[in-house]
Amino acid sequence: MQVCPSCGEENPPRFRLCGFCGASLASVVAEERRIVTIVFSDLKGSTSLGEVLDPEALREVMTRYFDAMTEVLRRHGGTIEKFIGDAIMAVFGLPRVHEDDALRAVRAASEMTMSLAALNEDLRRVYGVELTNRTGVNTGEVVAGDPTGGQRLVTGDAVNVAARLEQAAPANEVLIGELTYRLTRDAVEIEGVEPLELKGKAERVAAYRLLSARGIEGYQRRIDTALVGRELEMAQLDAAFGAVIGASQARSMTVIAEAGIGKSRLVTEFTRALGDNGVTVVRGRCLAYGDGITFWPLRGAVREAASISDDDSPAEAREWLDALIPDPDVTERIASAIGLASAEFAVGEIAWAARRFFEHLAASGPVCVVFDDIHWAEATFLDLVDELVATLEGSPVFIVATARHDLLEDRPEWGRAPRTELLELEPLAPEDVERVIANLLGGEAVAPEIASRVAAAADGNALFLEQLLAMLIDRGAIQRDGNRWTPTASLACFDVPPTIQALLAARLNRLEQDQRAVIDRASVIGVEFPTAAVVELVPDPLRPDVDRHLLAMGRRQLVHERPPDRAEDPGYRFSHVLIRDATYAGLLKRARAAYHEAFVGWADRVNAERGREIEFEELLAYHLEQAYRYLADLGPLDDHGRELALRAEERLAAAGRRALARGDMPAAAHLLERAAALLAAADLRRLALVPDLAEALLESGRFDDARTRLDEAIAIASALGDERLRLRNEVVRLLLQLQTGERPTWSREAMAVSGAAIPVLERAGDDLGLATTHRLRYAIHGTANRYAEATAAAEQIVRHAASAGDARLQRRGAAAYVATAVYGPMPATDAIARCEQLLDEAAGDQRTEALVSGALAQLVAMRGDFGRARDLYQRSRHLLEELNAGVLAVATSTDSGRVELLAGNLDAAVAELTRDYDALSLMGERFLLSTVGGLLAEVHARRGDHERAEEVALVVAALAAEDDLDAQALWRGAMARVLAARGDLSAALAHARQ
């Protein structure tokens, strides 16, 4: 049998079109990843029935049971995968995905228990037996197959958990899983149970006992916050209602937008204002599925108008209806349409009765009738709405409907008839999004990173904003700190909330098979994608039709054309980043890997033709990296998988080193970490990456990460006997230790290692390693105030960096040379001239500009030009902060503090130095902290705050290990200045002489 991909019904093998809905049977369910809900139900103790029943009677009992359960499951939209002994397994979300699949499954499970209770009454009477079952319902990701091709319908852990929940359920009860509950929580009544210890699960699994499932929506939108950004649309509704009053005739307005934009909320606020002004407002909604739902929205409006409650019996409801409309011809037909009478009438007569019903209502004043979600309405009901607008003359009735764009695909003429309008809602503007976020979080302050990240992901969709914030709060990713919301973890990326995933998956599932093939491949490319790239990735037969399919998906609001960056690159953009994410999530990992790699092949060819290889290297490295990782997820890698890793590593390493060269240390660290992760621990290419990676981590303030990387690399290089790589990593580790103050004998060890490294690196012709080693020598001499030796080391840095072609290290060496000019014997005038020359040479290199500007600030302050000095050190700090330069950005007071000290502005000096002193202490940095601390102690002493001066000086002393003579010298110099400022000259001299 063939299963129809549209309606799920079975068809004979030779059918080409579905005999039930007419859809093509060629587009069978292909393998893909999906979020589905599984219902697993099993009879308990059925074996003992064979002892009391004849085999024929037992067969009839079991047949009646399976027929009853199957009928319930299929009526709610479930697909029966299989019967396993006495167990039934059904899947909701195949072959069609619905946004409410979890709720359908829970409703089906609840109804199964009621159906079994009714069946048992009959079984007890006829056979003297009754049946007991247990049911588990679980939602999760599976791989969905094509049963017509002999594949399993669904495979994945979600299936196993559903079976385990069933086994743990009490008799005649239902247990539902965590994700199922989250998707249905506003429509179900549950009772918590202790997390279950399920077979095959390492950790306990959350579960809930289902008591009832009565709600219409699994998630109720919040309406307790102010409506934001819809003033224009509200005015349009007001104007249309005014026209109804003025002409005393019916009009309709359909508010149309995709889910979550705010259709229902806008209409709710509009009708609330009408109700407050005495206008009669009634509301009904269309249902996504069910029996006898054609006139369901009319039912809701009539029951609301007649004040009929859910607790009223049919007889009581009929009394309320008769009391409202004293016309038996009308009420008889209305009662028939809404299920209060058994008589049947033609559709035309029901339409007549509906018109007369609303005329009666409008006789005493204007009426507003709201029909929600008419994209789900039956064609008969939509015809009824059209007829009401056309025939309600002399009655002020305003019909407001809400719909998604799907309505216009089925009825493109909707809203074009006389007295009908369409009001299309656009996503919220950025400034309105900020207000909505603040309102959803109780009007309290929100950290900028939360607002910007959530706003970017939601892209103006109010539902997405609400769901994303709720998910982040539930996971503890953001929390209230006093009266401010702050992140507790990185918000760089997060999953699509399950409610949004279900909604978007349902939209995507309505696409034709060929359209889905196109958008799947586009999702691999990214949020924006060139049309030519998609053409490259789709199968040959689809290539001529890619543009046509993209235009069709544009009409569905899934993608839209983007203005091309270049004339040769026309392309599209996903209408929402979460649509892209939901599309991508549906792809099998093996397919993702293939498409990522194929995109790189296309891009390499196109970029080579245009001479733009480097421009896109990082982007293409990401695609290769993803291809490798997905293949690694699926099992042991073959040669092709390992080749992908090497290709990705090569590009990531190159991009990381370019980021390092431009001083973007966080980006460099991120890229180089990813490159290293693609290589085996003992791979020499990985060991060669570590010095650069460690330097990026070091300058980003990630000292522990840098230390771990270096220790590992040194140990492996030693084991491999690679002296050059061992020494290169040793040199960088000593630069790290200088900043963290880890080794008490740092100066002696640094001299020994650098002395051993230089000849090894010279023999290998490793100019880059030599430049780094001379940086270490510069630090050794600079901390000991040996400025002649430091100047010589700086010159070596420049020379070897130039030979290696490393402009960044050249500029660093030049900046180091300038620093020795500030503290050494060079006259200030000469040093200023050299700094200004370097500023000209460093134009565009913001990091070097920042460092030279700081040094120049001190030099011009020595000449008494304090105004220019302040401009220079403020520019230095601004540049480093803009570059997110980690340690350097919080150590600028070594310049600004000295400038203010020279200017005699001791309060300003204290403020500058204290800010950095606190930041460096928090970061765990030690080298610059001792410099800042020594200067801070001196300034406190000059201000007369000797207690605070000695307190800071003692901290500096603690940083200077007893057997490190250079550190001791620094501390004793600082202490001498503190004591001198206090007036204790003899003690000051004693410290200075030591």
Side-chain angles (χ1 to χ4, degrees):
M1 301 295 285
Q2 300 182 81
V3 177
C4 174
S6 179
C7 67
E9 295 291 346
E10 293 182 346
N11 290 266
R14 297 183 63 186
F15 273 35
R16 291 184 296 108
L17 300 177
C18 177
F20 296 88
C21 72
S24 170
L25 295 176
S27 303
V28 294
V29 179
E31 280 197 317
E32 61 178 312
R33 301 177 82 93
R34 283 194 185 184
I35 303 292
V36 301
T37 302
I38 299 106
V39 175
F40 207 101
S41 188
D42 193 10
L43 282 175
K44 181 181 180 182
S46 59
T47 304
S48 61
L49 292 176
E51 299 177 358
V52 296
L53 292 177
D54 180 82
E56 290 184 34
L58 177 60
R59 183 179 182 84
E60 184 173 341
V61 167
M62 297 301 292
T63 298
R64 291 183 62 181
Y65 168 75
F66 283 121
D67 287 348
M69 299 301 104
T70 300
E71 194 276 331
V72 171
L73 288 164
R74 285 183 170 157
R75 188 169 66 252
H76 285 275
T79 298
I80 308 297
E81 167 155 356
K82 57 189 173 184
F83 298 97
I84 312 168
D86 297 336
I88 305 172
M89 176 181 161
V91 182
F92 288 77
L94 279 176
R96 289 288 301 274
V97 178
H98 306 93
E99 61 195 74
D100 59 346
D101 277 321
L103 184 54
R104 293 177 183 224
V106 169
R107 284 181 182 147
S110 178
E111 190 176 326
M112 286 167 69
T113 63
M114 293 183 285
S115 180
L116 178 58
L119 176 63
N120 273 334
E121 289 184 13
D122 200 28
L123 294 180
R124 281 193 297 269
R125 179 176 55 81
V126 177
Y127 299 102
V129 298
E130 64 178 41
L131 302 177
T132 300
N133 72 0
R134 302 174 301 191
T135 303
V137 184
N138 189 56
T139 304
E141 186 178 46
V142 299
V143 172
D146 173 15
T148 65
Q151 300 170 345
R152 294 188 62 184
L153 198 60
V154 290
T155 306
D157 186 57
V159 179
N160 301 327
V161 173
R164 302 299 182 214
L165 288 172
E166 172 270 310
Q167 293 167 6
N172 291 333
E173 292 191 6
V174 179
L175 288 183
I176 66 175
E178 172 70 21
L179 183 52
T180 306
Y181 170 62
R182 286 167 56 193
L183 287 165
T184 62
R185 60 185 177 189
D186 287 334
V188 299
E189 182 183 357
I190 56 97
E191 183 179 85
V193 298
E194 286 294 320
L196 303 176
E197 192 170 326
L198 301 182
K199 183 179 178 181
K201 302 297 290 183
E203 297 181 358
R204 287 180 173 268
V205 174
Y208 305 87
R209 177 171 164 257
L210 179 67
L211 302 178
S212 66
R214 297 180 180 177
I216 293 175
E217 291 183 303
Y219 181 85
Q220 294 287 341
R221 297 288 306 280
R222 286 181 58 179
I223 57 171
D224 59 339
T225 60
L227 182 67
V228 171
R230 296 303 185 195
E231 294 80 9
L232 179 61
E233 292 86 350
M234 190 69 79
Q236 290 177 265
L237 284 165
D238 286 334
F241 183 68
V244 169
I245 301 298
S248 192
Q249 61 182 182
R251 295 182 68 89
S252 75
M253 178 172 279
T254 301
V255 182
I256 194 160
E258 288 310 320
I261 296 296
K263 305 180 297 293
S264 297
R265 181 64 195 282
L266 172 67
V267 172
T268 296
E269 294 298 324
F270 170 70
T271 56
R272 181 182 295 165
L274 293 183
D276 291 343
N277 288 297
V279 176
T280 299
V281 178
V282 294
R283 195 162 191 162
R285 67 174 298 165
C286 301
L287 298 181
Y289 77 100
D291 296 327
I293 61 172
T294 299
F295 294 110
W296 191 266
L298 178 65
R299 174 184 182 272
V302 169
R303 291 175 72 91
E304 193 167 318
S307 300
I308 300 170
S309 73
D310 291 337
D311 295 329
D312 289 334
S313 66
E316 290 171 327
R318 184 61 188 270
E319 288 179 11
W320 286 109
L321 180 59
D322 291 337
L324 177 68
I325 308 295
D327 185 333
D329 288 337
V330 172
T331 54
E332 186 67 23
R333 286 157 179 78
I334 292 292
S336 169
I338 68 174
L340 294 179
S342 58
E344 294 186 2
F345 294 91
V347 170
E349 295 195 45
I350 292 174
W352 168 84
R355 174 168 60 82
R356 296 288 297 145
F357 176 85
F358 288 115
E359 286 175 346
H360 278 292
L361 279 187
S364 56
V367 174
C368 180
V369 184
V370 179
F371 293 128
D372 284 307
D373 297 329
I374 64 170
H375 50 277
W376 283 326
E378 300 288 339
T380 300
F381 181 75
L382 293 175
D383 292 339
L384 171 64
V385 175
D386 272 342
E387 186 171 340
L388 287 174
V389 175
T391 59
L392 274 169
E393 298 283 352
S395 298
V397 177
F398 187 31
I399 298 176
V400 180
T402 66
R404 300 178 190 169
H405 287 94
D406 300 346
L407 172 69
L408 301 183
E409 291 185 25
D410 297 330
R411 296 181 73 119
E413 77 287 354
W414 186 263
R416 298 172 187 258
R419 304 204 305 265
T420 67
E421 293 181 72
L422 288 179
L423 173 56
E424 187 163 2
L425 288 192
E426 297 294 333
L428 291 168
E431 60 272 17
D432 294 326
V433 167
E434 292 180 10
R435 292 166 59 197
V436 171
I437 291 173
N439 290 343
L440 289 170
L441 294 177
E444 296 176 336
V446 180
E449 54 266 46
I450 297 175
S452 61
R453 183 68 185 92
V454 172
D459 199 18
N461 186 299
L463 172 63
F464 294 178
L465 281 173
E466 190 175 322
Q467 292 284 277
L468 287 166
L469 286 171
M471 181 184 72
L472 293 174
I473 293 170
D474 287 346
R475 293 182 178 180
I478 65 173
Q479 65 181 15
R480 186 188 285 108
D481 183 8
N483 63 349
R484 177 182 173 85
W485 286 89
T486 58
T488 60
S490 171
L491 301 180
C493 61
F494 40 68
D495 298 334
V496 180
T499 44
I500 299 175
Q501 174 75 31
L503 189 153
L504 296 177
R507 286 181 64 189
L508 292 165
N509 190 240
R510 290 193 288 271
L511 294 174
E512 298 173 6
Q513 185 182 26
D514 289 349
Q515 291 174 345
R516 187 61 193 260
V518 169
I519 201 171
D520 280 349
R521 288 155 176 84
S523 74
V524 172
I525 298 169
V527 175
E528 293 192 1
F529 50 92
T531 306
V534 180
V535 171
E536 177 80 10
L537 298 187
V538 299
D540 288 346
L542 274 183
R543 291 181 175 180
D545 298 320
V546 166
D547 271 316
R548 178 172 62 84
H549 290 315
L550 288 171
L551 285 170
M553 288 183 283
R555 290 191 293 272
R556 289 176 175 261
Q557 305 292 306
L558 293 171
V559 300
H560 60 256
E561 288 188 85
R562 62 177 174 86
D565 297 328
R566 304 171 184 84
E568 68 267 30
D569 277 342
Y572 284 77
R573 189 183 196 282
F574 279 90
S575 297
H576 198 288
V577 64
L578 297 183
I579 295 176
R580 180 267 169 191
D581 292 348
T583 307
Y584 188 79
L587 289 169
L588 295 181
K589 289 186 176 181
R590 196 170 298 280
R592 294 179 200 172
Y595 301 155
H596 277 296
E597 184 180 3
F599 173 70
V600 173
W602 172 84
D604 276 342
R605 187 182 70 250
V606 171
N607 290 332
E609 293 168 359
R610 301 174 187 172
R612 301 205 311 251
E613 293 93 337
I614 292 178
E615 183 180 350
F616 296 100
E617 192 163 52
E618 183 179 335
L619 170 65
L620 300 182
Y622 162 80
H623 285 280
L624 290 170
E625 180 185 24
Q626 292 301 101
Y628 156 75
R629 294 204 178 281
Y630 286 128
L631 292 179
D633 286 347
L634 298 175
L637 288 167
D638 57 12
D639 289 342
H640 177 64
R642 288 187 287 273
E643 180 197 357
L644 284 173
L646 295 179
R647 290 169 61 195
E649 181 275 332
E650 182 180 0
R651 295 185 188 225
L652 285 170
R657 287 180 169 125
R658 282 198 301 277
L660 197 65
R662 65 178 181 263
D664 187 352
M665 296 306 171
H670 177 63
L671 290 164
L672 293 171
E673 279 183 306
R674 287 164 56 194
L678 294 169
L679 299 171
D683 193 312
L684 294 180
R685 284 166 295 200
R686 179 182 172 119
L687 298 180
L689 277 177
V690 172
D692 287 334
L693 170 56
E695 183 173 347
L697 293 169
L698 170 62
E699 295 207 15
S700 300
R702 295 172 56 186
F703 303 130
D704 289 342
D705 291 338
R707 184 183 303 108
T708 299
R709 293 284 190 177
L710 289 163
D711 288 347
E712 176 190 56
I714 290 166
I716 294 173
S718 297
L720 294 175
D722 193 314
E723 191 69 0
R724 184 183 69 85
L725 286 177
R726 181 187 69 80
L727 288 167
R728 282 210 62 189
N729 283 283
E730 284 273 20
V731 166
V732 179
R733 184 167 67 174
L734 284 159
L735 287 170
L736 166 67
Q737 290 167 355
L738 172 65
Q739 289 204 272
T740 56
E742 296 170 46
R743 303 289 283 273
T745 57
W746 180 85
S747 295
R748 289 195 294 272
E749 291 186 29
M751 284 295 289
V753 169
S754 61
I758 288 172
V760 171
L761 296 171
E762 285 177 341
R763 285 194 297 272
D766 187 348
D767 280 300
L768 195 59
L770 284 165
T772 304
T773 304
H774 283 291
R775 280 182 58 207
L776 179 62
R777 303 281 278 197
Y778 171 84
I780 296 167
H781 297 307
T783 56
N785 299 329
R786 296 191 291 268
Y787 294 114
E789 293 90 338
T791 300
E795 291 171 344
Q796 290 293 321
I797 296 171
V798 174
R799 184 170 72 83
H800 287 293
S803 296
D806 191 320
R808 175 184 65 93
L809 267 180
Q810 274 187 270
R811 294 189 294 268
R812 282 202 164 192
Y817 183 87
V818 168
T820 62
V822 173
Y823 300 112
M826 182 182 291
T829 302
D830 295 345
I832 289 171
R834 180 61 178 135
C835 284
E836 289 175 338
Q837 178 188 346
L838 282 171
L839 277 180
D840 291 338
E841 294 172 357
D845 177 0
Q846 292 184 324
R847 187 181 184 281
T848 301
E849 284 185 50
L851 296 176
V852 175
S853 294
L856 185 56
Q858 290 194 60
L859 291 167
V860 298
M862 294 175 190
R863 300 295 301 274
D865 190 349
F866 300 115
R868 187 185 176 201
R870 291 186 176 106
D871 289 342
L872 284 164
Y873 79 61
Q874 287 169 2
R875 172 169 171 73
S876 173
R877 180 190 307 143
H878 172 74
L879 287 172
L880 291 170
E881 288 175 346
E882 286 291 302
L883 290 171
N884 194 18
V887 173
L888 292 176
V890 291
T892 56
S893 62
T894 55
D895 298 315
S896 60
R898 286 192 174 98
V899 167
E900 297 300 343
L901 188 58
L902 288 167
N905 191 343
L906 301 182
D907 289 345
V910 166
E912 290 288 319
L913 291 160
T914 301
R915 180 195 64 242
D916 287 359
Y917 182 82
D918 292 342
L920 290 165
S921 298
L922 186 64
M923 190 179 284
E925 203 276 344
R926 291 294 179 265
F927 173 60
L928 291 170
L929 178 65
S930 63
T931 304
V932 172
L935 189 54
L936 179 59
E938 179 181 350
V939 177
H940 276 308
R942 291 196 183 190
R943 293 175 72 215
D945 189 349
H946 302 297
E947 182 177 344
R948 179 62 178 149
E950 291 186 22
E951 179 184 327
V952 176
L954 287 171
V955 172
V956 176
L959 298 175
E962 292 182 2
D963 57 345
D964 190 322
L965 298 181
D966 290 334
Q968 280 286 325
L970 285 174
W971 168 65
R972 292 186 185 282
M975 199 64 188
R977 290 191 294 273
V978 169
L979 293 169
R982 190 173 185 176
D984 192 346
L985 297 180
S986 61
L989 284 171
H991 275 281
R993 287 168 180 162
Q994 291 177 359

